[in-house]
Amino acid sequence: MKVQNHAIISSEDTVNKNPELSAADIKSIPKVELHCHLEACLRYETVMEAGHQLGLQMPTTKEEYEREWLLQAPMRNLADALKRFDNIQKIWTDPAVIERMALEACEDARTQGIRVMEFRYSPDFITAGKPGLKFEAVHSAIVRGIEAGRREDFAVGLIGIVQKTLPMPAAAATMKFITANADTFIGLDFADRETMPLTTYRDLVDEARAAGLNITVHAGEEPTAGAPQEIRDAIEILQAERIGHGLHILGDETVVELAREKKIALEICPTSNWLTGSVSATSEHPVRRLIEAGLPVTINSDDPGLFGIDLCHEYMLLHREHGFSLQDFNDCNETAVRQSFLPEEQKQQAWQRAIDQRQKP
Ligand SMILES: [Zn+2]
């Protein structure tokens, strides 16, 4: 189904090509988000409540929480960043809390105007160091939360993450778990730095694809000379249909050509790329050049609750620093709907509803 782009644009655009957008304008844009880590979708109140229930030593004020739990300036050292991940990890422990946080993540996404939403999570990250907590219990709690959050105008799905840092038996077990639950996952993601040849995963990727799962891979995130090759490997070896970040693809025109030919979407997350040192400033992000190179670009928040941002924040940033107009946002969202791993009928139903609502006077 082809959604009519031009109908969403206000008549102002014909007068002024790029009028200033208010926070309310940004919020009212129907959005698609493809790259968002569920573990980093956090409400302050819920985190505090859950932390106290678990007997954790929690911050005493919101300021202290923001200072100690959030990552709002570029990482200076790894230990600092890891401590924050460690805090989050402890919160995702009790299945009832997990279910509640999954539901709240859906509610918060919908409030921002997101109408097609893909969350991803790592079963290994959540269960690490918790012998009593099994993948099954985590997954069923998340699925219950997601199901409760689904609406006719809000399509939502889950991607399972395999960490490339895992030793092979553990990585294989996770991939098999995700594949065995292909009825409640829509895709498989590979995250973190690789520690073994990607060909090791080949048979398991074939199994996942045969079960109907789509593949996305975190690649080309760091500003290294090898970034484009990482993206090529993700596409050629892991059969990635989308790339998490991938912003450093521009270093090799042959990889740009490959991604363009195969219509591999890039899941771009501007604030995240600044905080991890992938770009020196959000204003230096190559997002415009990626679009100009003919690559399918989508806009995402990555770890909103960890960064203290949301997807609307990323839209405002792109509007102010990169001159994104309503038309640019609509183009990215059209790309994202097409590239979403959700079943065609589900995503189109929610998306068409959002467009119809937008057209009402
Ligand atoms: Zn990510």
Side-chain angles (χ1 to χ4, degrees), residues 35 37 218 245 302:
H35 190 130
H37 293 259
H218 279 75
H245 306 290
D302 207 7

Side-chain angles (χ1 to χ4, degrees), residues 1-4 7 30 115-116 152-153 334 337 344-359:
M1 194 187 309
K2 175 84 183 85
V3 178
Q4 300 295 313
R115 293 293 175 258
V116 176
E152 267 188 32
D153 66 355
E334 288 297 324
V337 175
E344 199 59 31
E345 203 188 311
Q346 273 180 41
K347 65 184 183 184
Q348 291 298 352
Q349 187 195 352
W351 190 242
Q352 192 55 50
R353 235 183 137 87
I355 301 304
D356 292 347
Q357 277 170 6
R358 188 74 198 267
Q359 286 172 3

